[in-house]
Amino acid sequence: MVGAYLGERFSPRVFIPMAVVIAGAASGGELSISRLCLDASFALLLLAQFRSWDDLADRSRDAVSHPERVLVRAMSTAPLVAFSGALAVLNICLAIERDASGIAVAVLVALIGVLGAWYSLRTARTAAGDHLLLSKYAAMVIVVAGARVLNAPGQTLCAAVALHLVVCLYEVWHDRASPISIGGHR
């Protein structure tokens, strides 16, 4: 089930470039191929974790709007829940290992807490909620950068904000049901 889910909802042609963009934004201007590859790999794991969490949280909504999806048709979500949990543990361990300053793990744990609370408390889709969910990409820049954010705070934070704006523009164009979309629910 996890393989079928990833095949359907985690397209390499979308998520590998996104991971490279996150890695580049986290570089603070000091870019090398080896660093970019390591950072993009970490970003890809973060993207997989949060993509699966989003889809688990949206399963009942997707049952109406996307009944053909693997996760909607699955008899049990346990395999994807286990996969998501394992990714969360792995990503926390990697954040600790990659960044002795604690910045990466602090931001990652805060992101997990905030999104977990939002997923459990939301009742309807709102513009503020969509912005909160989309802010995960900017937070991933900080998680991937870790202590490097201290070497180039302005550049890294501007890159994170720019990424947030780009994903918001994509949301406006891509998801007509989004409250931040042109013609979306307001």
Side-chain angles (χ1 to χ4, degrees):
M1 188 278 238
V2 172
Y5 166 79
L6 290 172
E8 177 183 72
R9 300 290 293 150
F10 201 70
S11 169
R13 87 170 190 254
V14 171
F15 286 96
I16 289 174
M18 184 65 168
V20 171
V21 166
I22 291 169
S27 73
E30 296 180 22
L31 210 51
S32 71
I33 293 297
S34 61
R35 171 57 64 188
L36 186 68
C37 288
L38 286 171
D39 286 353
S41 297
F42 184 37
L44 197 60
L45 290 169
L46 292 165
L47 288 164
Q49 174 190 339
F50 288 103
R51 173 60 162 207
S52 61
W53 284 19
D54 286 347
D55 284 342
L56 284 164
D58 290 341
R59 186 171 185 241
S60 61
R61 185 174 307 142
D62 287 346
V64 173
S65 56
H66 302 286
E68 74 287 354
R69 288 190 178 163
V70 170
L71 185 58
V72 171
R73 291 182 292 120
M75 296 299 288
S76 171
T77 60
L80 191 60
V81 169
F83 176 73
S84 297
L87 281 174
V89 170
L90 175 62
N91 286 335
I92 290 169
C93 291
L94 287 172
I96 291 167
E97 177 65 27
R98 289 169 45 92
D99 177 31
S101 76
I103 292 170
V105 74
V107 173
L108 179 55
V109 169
L111 180 61
I112 289 168
V114 167
L115 291 183
W118 178 250
Y119 289 141
S120 66
L121 296 173
R122 73 177 173 174
T123 55
R125 214 166 160 188
T126 64
D130 275 18
H131 279 289
L132 176 67
L133 292 174
L134 294 172
S135 72
K136 69 181 164 260
Y137 300 105
M140 285 181 207
V141 170
I142 307 307
V143 171
V144 171
R148 287 179 286 155
V149 75
L150 301 174
N151 298 334
Q155 185 174 357
T156 307
L157 295 175
C158 284
V161 169
L163 179 58
H164 179 72
L165 293 174
V166 168
V167 295
C168 285
L169 287 173
Y170 177 78
E171 186 77 359
V172 165
W173 171 75
H174 170 73
D175 186 356
R176 293 179 190 250
S178 172
I180 65 173
S181 175
I182 297 170
H185 307 288
R186 300 243 187 261

